[in-house]
Amino acid sequence: MLRVLLLTGMLLSSSVFAAEVKNVRIWIAPDHARLVFDLTAAVQHKLFTLSKPDRIVLDVSGASLTSNLAAVDLAKSPLSLMRSGTRNGGKDLRIVLDLKESVKPKSFALKPNAKYGHRLVVDLHRETKESQPQKTALASVSNPATLRDVVISIDAGHGGEDPGAVGPGRVKEKTVVLGIARELKALLAKEPGFAPKLTRDGDYYISLRNRTKRARKANADMFVSIHADGFNDKRARGASVWVLSPRGASSEMGRWLASKENGADLIGGVGSVSLEDKDDVLAKVLLDMSMTASRSDSREIARSIHRNVSKFARMHKTRVEQAGFVVLKSPDIPSILVETGFITNPEEARKLKSRAYQKQMAQAIFAGIKAHFKAKPPALTLLAWQKNGGSTVAKSVAVSHKVKRGDTLSVIASRNGVSLSALRKANGLKNADHIRIGQVLKIPAS
């Protein structure tokens, strides 16, 4: 009887704390902070806020804390203090996050993967005020000061909780690719006519969809995602350059057409249009045109970068490769992904973590981007003005557009950043919008 009671007591004792919080990490991004609680098992949790003073409460059922909260560096976070206690007779854990600024909290659990066990994540999104749009002069070829730069969105893969592939000596993909991204940004920043924007400029995580959303928010003319490959066989080696596959393009088109959220987004860059007020046929035509153009430009840039990288690095394949990577699926932004080598290969890992090789890789990517946009600059950019000799006289002559299947006058006007009335006037169309395939239209300069 005594043995039964002892065994029962042991079982009850072990079930009181079904999980331990064995470690706590924090990652700081410009717009949010991420807290990650490492657990020994899955848990049920509840998160809520309290005021006066402002704080967030995280209740974790059947858990105990074995980590030191005071050891977590909160210096650049929205938190002033983390403290803990127990509730329900010591059965449950309560963690209190004292706030020093207003945030919107979100929590979720993550299942174990190859790198981590069970985790509980709390994201603290900073509340930022929407900046007022600045009044700017209307872009005009007669005033070069009003012409815009070509915006390049540079995406360093992984980050924060996600280290990416890990090579010999614990060299992490997220660290290497951020180094290359920063080198590429520096090169583009020095080149007149370009404006580089990093999707992340620190060690924090951004979801795949949010990376392309950031590019769209920056009105990017191109998106380049930088990665380093990994494989369980350390003999695997070689850099590669990727573009969106036809199957990936098709699935993304279906996603956009089906989603009301996407329908309200703008496509087409500077002369952008919304899909939400278009019928299904026109919306599909607009998306198809936009994605066809962006994929064509993507392939051109990718081939140029592939040639540049092959001059100093071993290539995984002799040609540009295709896949359905999520970060390549912007229908209106030419997008490429560069795998800079296999970080799991000892020789390539040694190169990738060196500053000199990172600069060399960035230079190869930069040269490909520069060559493309110098040859095919978007309308009303400084590069377009320079291509035409920097002359307002030369630019005052309208450029032309040959009508293709699926074109409409309003679509052509939008994609070239001109008004419908100006396009009609330049071509003597008055109020008639009838155009035919093969017809050459004049595009007014501004």
Side-chain angles (χ1 to χ4, degrees):
M1 182 67 178
L2 180 60
R3 290 180 61 188
V4 173
L5 288 173
L6 286 172
L7 181 60
T8 303
M10 289 171 64
L11 289 172
L12 287 172
S13 176
S14 63
S15 64
V16 168
F17 298 121
E20 292 180 354
V21 178
K22 60 180 182 178
N23 189 36
V24 183
R25 300 186 303 284
I26 190 166
W27 308 96
I28 309 296
D31 58 352
H32 74 282
R34 168 166 287 191
L35 276 170
V36 182
F37 299 88
D38 287 314
L39 306 165
T40 57
V43 295
Q44 296 292 321
H45 78 281
K46 182 172 70 173
L47 182 142
F48 58 95
T49 60
L50 296 173
S51 58
K52 298 181 181 179
D54 291 338
R55 58 204 187 276
I56 296 168
V57 179
L58 180 67
D59 283 339
V60 188
S61 301
S64 63
L65 178 68
T66 58
S67 178
N68 181 13
L69 295 181
V72 181
D73 184 6
L74 304 177
K76 297 180 180 180
S77 78
L79 305 178
S80 59
L81 181 67
M82 284 198 296
R83 46 198 172 90
S84 67
T86 59
R87 54 193 299 272
N88 293 336
K91 295 179 182 178
D92 302 327
L93 172 66
R94 168 165 287 185
I95 296 175
V96 180
L97 312 176
D98 292 330
L99 297 171
K100 57 186 178 186
E101 62 181 86
S102 182
V103 296
K104 292 182 179 178
K106 179 183 178 182
S107 63
F108 54 93
L110 290 175
K111 294 180 179 179
N113 60 22
K115 297 183 179 73
Y116 300 104
H118 289 280
R119 286 160 291 161
L120 180 58
V121 177
V122 177
D123 281 338
L124 307 172
H125 294 276
R126 289 184 162 98
E127 295 184 355
T128 57
K129 294 181 180 179
E130 291 293 332
S131 58
Q132 294 296 322
Q134 295 181 346
K135 293 183 179 180
T136 57
L138 183 66
S140 168
V141 294
S142 62
N143 182 6
T146 66
L147 299 175
R148 70 180 185 87
D149 292 330
V150 171
V151 179
I152 307 297
S153 180
I154 307 167
D155 175 50
H158 307 280
E161 183 71 3
D162 176 16
V166 179
R170 302 297 297 170
V171 58
K172 297 182 176 70
E173 178 184 358
K174 67 175 182 178
T175 305
V176 166
V177 298
L178 181 58
I180 297 171
R182 285 171 171 167
E183 295 290 352
L184 178 57
K185 179 187 177 184
L187 289 169
L188 285 164
K190 292 177 183 176
E191 185 69 25
F194 287 93
K197 305 286 184 182
L198 291 174
T199 58
R200 74 173 178 96
D201 194 11
D203 189 13
Y204 47 86
Y205 176 76
I206 305 170
S207 70
L208 298 178
R209 289 288 179 188
N210 275 332
R211 293 171 188 267
T212 54
K213 283 182 180 178
R214 291 186 180 205
R216 180 166 289 103
K217 189 175 181 180
N219 293 317
D221 294 281
M222 182 198 166
F223 177 88
V224 52
S225 191
I226 303 174
H227 290 256
D229 245 325
F231 195 59
N232 53 17
D233 186 341
K234 64 181 181 180
R235 293 174 297 178
R237 57 187 299 192
S240 54
V241 186
W242 298 77
V243 295
L244 185 63
S245 65
R247 180 175 293 182
S250 178
S251 67
E252 186 65 6
M253 184 180 293
R255 194 183 78 88
W256 270 67
L257 291 171
S259 170
K260 291 182 180 179
E261 177 187 351
N262 287 330
D265 282 348
L266 299 178
I267 64 167
V270 172
S272 56
V273 294
S274 172
L275 298 180
E276 63 179 345
D277 59 343
K278 309 295 188 295
D279 62 45
D280 291 347
V281 175
L282 180 55
K284 187 173 182 179
V285 168
L286 289 170
L287 261 180
D288 184 55
M289 287 174 58
S290 184
M291 187 163 274
T292 298
S294 68
R295 289 184 64 219
S296 176
D297 286 341
S298 299
R299 288 191 295 270
E300 287 182 14
I301 302 169
R303 283 194 288 264
S304 180
I305 292 174
H306 189 284
R307 284 194 301 270
N308 295 342
V309 176
S310 68
K311 293 175 183 177
F312 64 90
R314 180 190 180 100
M315 302 305 294
H316 192 242
K317 292 285 179 65
T318 58
R319 63 185 183 278
V320 172
E321 300 177 70
Q322 300 184 46
F325 295 128
V326 172
V327 291
L328 297 179
K329 289 187 174 183
S330 287
D332 52 344
I333 306 174
S335 303
I336 67 167
L337 185 145
V338 181
E339 292 280 8
T340 54
F342 277 81
I343 204 167
T344 45
N345 178 280
E347 182 184 351
E348 293 193 345
R350 177 180 55 79
K351 290 179 179 179
L352 286 168
K353 67 181 181 181
S354 76
R355 179 80 181 274
Y357 196 79
Q358 290 176 13
K359 284 186 174 183
Q360 192 174 19
M361 187 64 69
Q363 179 64 49
I365 300 170
F366 164 73
I369 294 171
K370 178 182 174 181
H372 174 81
F373 285 103
K374 287 280 188 178
K376 294 179 62 177
L380 296 178
T381 60
L382 182 63
L383 294 183
W385 182 78
Q386 290 173 339
K387 186 183 178 186
N388 285 273
S391 166
T392 57
V393 175
K395 285 294 290 181
S396 65
V397 179
V399 296
S400 62
H401 173 86
K402 189 173 183 179
V403 177
K404 303 184 294 292
R405 185 179 300 278
D407 278 356
T408 65
L409 204 63
S410 60
V411 168
I412 296 168
S414 294
R415 290 183 68 86
N416 286 278
V418 299
S419 68
L420 187 58
S421 60
L423 187 59
R424 287 190 186 121
K425 184 177 179 180
N427 292 278
L429 296 176
K430 297 182 179 179
N431 292 324
D433 289 354
H434 298 295
I435 54 177
R436 63 183 184 280
I437 296 173
Q439 181 179 356
V440 177
L441 299 176
K442 295 177 182 178
I443 308 298
S446 64

